[in-house]
Amino acid sequence: YQVQLIHNGGAVGIVRSVYQNYYDFSEQVTEPGAYQFQVRTVSAASHSKSEWTVSDVLTVKTDGSFVVAEDSRRTSLVVEK
C-alpha cells in the first residue's frame, strides 16, 4: 500500500509505502483541523497503482478532542492516548 495524510485539504509529508494493513499517523496529527488519509494498492509484480481512496474526515479541535464525521461508513483514524 501507499498512504498519505491530508490536513485541511493539503498533503502532509510524503507518500509512504507500507507493508501492513495499518499505519500510525499520530505523530503527524499535531494541529487542529480536518484530517483525512488516502490509500492505494501497489502491485508487487508490476508496480501498478490503483486510484487513491480517501477516508472520511476526522476533525481535531483546539482542546485536542476530535470528532469523526457523523455519516462515517469506514474507519478513518484511531487515536489512543
Side-chain angles (χ1 to χ4, degrees), residues 2 18 46 57 60 65 70 74:
Q2 288 185 325
V18 297
S46 67
V57 175
V60 176
S65 64
E70 287 184 26
R74 56 186 163 209

Side-chain angles (χ1 to χ4, degrees), residues 5 23-31 35 77-80:
L5 184 64
Y23 185 80
D24 181 359
F25 286 110
S26 62
E27 290 186 13
Q28 294 175 280
V29 179
T30 58
E31 300 176 13
Y35 286 89
L77 186 63
V78 175
V79 178
E80 295 183 25

